[in-house]
Amino acid sequence: MRPLFTWLMPTLIWAVVLWRAPSAFTTRANRALWAAFAAIALGLSCRPAFIERALGDVTGIRDVTQLLKHLAGVAAAYFLLEYVQAVRRRPDRPGAARARLLLTVAAGLALTLLFVFALPHDADGAFGIDAHFGEPGVKVYLCVFDTVFALASARATVLFWSNREAVPPGALRAGLTCLAASGATGLTYALYRYRFILTSGNATEFDADGKPVPLQDTLSEVLPALMLVLLVLGVTVPPARTLVGYLRDQYALWRLHPLWADVVAAVPQVVLGTPSSRLRDLLAVRDRSVELAHRAFAIRDAALVLREDAPVPGAGSAPGAGSAPGAASTVAADEDLARVEARWLRTAVRHRARHLPAPAPPSALAATTGGRTPREEIAWMLTVAAAYRQLGADEGH
């Protein structure tokens, strides 16, 4: 389980740190959350052996990474509580912020003093403490850290869970639920570590060279890993929903582009702004939902202009239109109707390019096509666009 924390978890947390770096310059809550992830990343980065050796050589303290990772954990707990307090809807109690800061400073000072005066330093790296796991100074040192960790986890769990009901169901509530579960997992880990520290005694084993073998305990590795995964999920679920929406709209624009490009080339006055290419659409990073709606309505507006070209609007009928005998064939009828509209649009665009009047639209298209809302209109135009592409493929063969 050691490689889980040595490489995988630091990589995951550093990715979040880099991703959220711009947010550190925005609100107090975002700064606190970014600082919490940065502290976690720094603490986890003490694990690789080459970093342990480098820090030991620089400081002259063989196991300095032991202290650094715990100080980073205390700092992460502080910043996480600051984040929770910043995003909750109720004001902080007078003096609570100062109390949190004083507790953090006191815990960091206590860990430093215990590290200097109570811990033996005859082994290298962050796991050198395992060589003296049953000694009183080691137990006090670890219990100080676990106490801070337990208090922060319990407080975060309560606040995240209490704020959960204040937001509507959806991505934000799912994120808060993950954050509350992360806090509960952290509390479980801290309580388990109390039991492990107080009951394991000096269970250290030594290898053939007389070096201590790090104590292996599955739950002590799995629980903090699960806590961090839930924490990452909690802060990424709401943005992930935005990303999914962006990708969905981009895909819809991609599918709509051939039909849109043809009809606005025939009726350019319906375009809002400057038409863009398909590749430029794909590279745009802004919100695409409004642009998608504009394009769907541009196609509809272009169809209305093309109808005005028809010599006898509303006359004629397209083959296959209205062929559905009853409600049981609604889906098939909708698909056929989309093909009817696509065929008429393709013919009307060609006539426009030749400076000919558009053909009269089939009567089935007069009042039964399109949608009542923007989302319904977009869905309908995507169906028409698919039929339009298929007609082009059929003609190509």
Side-chain angles (χ1 to χ4, degrees):
M1 295 300 293
R2 294 293 188 189
L4 181 67
F5 266 92
T6 303
W7 301 110
L8 181 59
M9 298 310 298
T11 301
L12 175 64
I13 301 302
W14 275 115
V16 176
V17 170
L18 295 176
W19 165 54
R20 296 194 61 89
S23 68
F25 301 95
T26 56
T27 65
R28 173 194 166 202
N30 285 333
R31 280 193 297 273
L33 183 60
W34 181 85
F37 276 108
I40 294 171
L42 290 173
L44 291 177
S45 297
C46 293
R47 294 271 181 153
F50 74 95
I51 293 181
E52 291 182 344
R53 289 193 299 270
L55 291 173
D57 292 340
V58 169
T59 62
I61 305 173
R62 300 170 62 184
D63 58 343
V64 68
T65 50
Q66 176 70 44
L67 176 63
L68 294 179
K69 72 173 185 177
H70 285 117
L71 291 179
V74 170
Y78 168 75
F79 286 118
L80 183 60
L81 285 181
E82 290 301 298
Y83 167 72
V84 177
Q85 185 58 46
V87 298
R88 69 186 307 231
R89 298 179 181 273
R90 287 173 289 180
D92 205 357
R93 295 190 303 273
R98 178 175 295 181
R100 290 193 296 270
L101 180 59
L102 290 176
L103 175 62
T104 302
V105 172
L109 183 59
L111 288 174
T112 303
L113 293 175
L114 286 168
F115 177 82
V116 172
F117 297 108
L119 299 189
H121 304 285
D122 55 355
D124 295 330
F127 303 112
I129 198 173
D130 289 356
H132 306 275
F133 199 75
E135 296 184 10
V138 172
K139 290 185 176 181
V140 173
Y141 175 88
L142 293 176
C143 284
V144 168
F145 173 77
D146 288 329
T147 298
V148 175
F149 198 83
L151 291 174
S153 298
R155 182 66 174 163
T157 302
V158 171
L159 292 181
F160 280 133
W161 188 259
S162 62
N163 287 338
R164 177 180 170 275
E165 298 299 328
V167 299
L172 184 56
R173 180 180 288 188
L176 285 174
T177 302
C178 287
L179 291 174
S182 175
T185 305
L187 178 60
T188 303
Y189 166 73
L191 296 177
Y192 175 77
R193 289 294 294 176
Y194 273 126
R195 176 184 175 277
F196 185 80
I197 292 167
L198 298 176
T199 61
S200 293
N202 193 356
T204 307
E205 297 180 0
F206 295 86
D207 60 19
D209 297 327
K211 295 181 179 180
V213 177
L215 296 179
Q216 299 289 335
D217 182 68
T218 302
L219 282 179
S220 292
E221 297 285 345
V222 171
L223 286 175
L226 178 60
M227 177 196 68
L228 292 177
V229 169
L230 289 170
L231 183 62
V232 171
L233 286 175
V235 299
T236 55
V237 166
R241 181 185 181 186
T242 302
L243 177 61
V244 169
Y246 167 80
L247 295 176
R248 181 190 62 234
D249 290 342
Q250 282 285 47
Y251 180 55
L253 283 168
W254 181 268
R255 293 166 55 199
L256 208 58
H257 190 274
L259 173 59
W260 174 83
D262 285 354
V263 298
V264 300
V267 191
Q269 64 266 31
V270 301
V271 180
L272 294 175
T274 304
S276 60
S277 67
R278 203 174 190 184
L279 180 60
R280 184 174 295 178
D281 283 342
L282 189 63
L283 297 177
V285 295
R286 62 184 181 275
D287 179 32
R288 310 299 282 151
S289 57
V290 174
E291 182 71 17
L292 179 59
H294 283 170
R295 297 210 173 174
F297 286 118
I299 297 172
R300 177 59 62 207
D301 291 342
L304 293 175
V305 173
L306 292 172
R307 283 172 182 265
E308 294 176 357
D309 284 352
V312 184
S317 178
S323 59
S329 301
T330 299
V331 174
D334 285 346
E335 292 172 350
D336 292 341
L337 197 58
R339 191 174 179 86
V340 168
E341 181 162 9
R343 182 182 294 109
W344 176 76
L345 283 172
R346 180 172 288 275
T347 305
V349 166
R350 288 177 175 174
H351 281 212
R352 186 78 173 216
R354 298 170 186 169
H355 304 289
L356 298 174
S363 58
L365 300 179
T368 57
T369 55
R372 297 180 181 179
T373 66
R375 188 54 64 182
E376 289 179 357
E377 183 68 19
I378 291 169
W380 172 254
M381 282 304 171
L382 287 172
T383 306
V384 174
Y388 190 86
R389 290 195 305 273
Q390 186 60 48
L391 286 171
D394 293 344
E395 292 175 0
H397 292 306

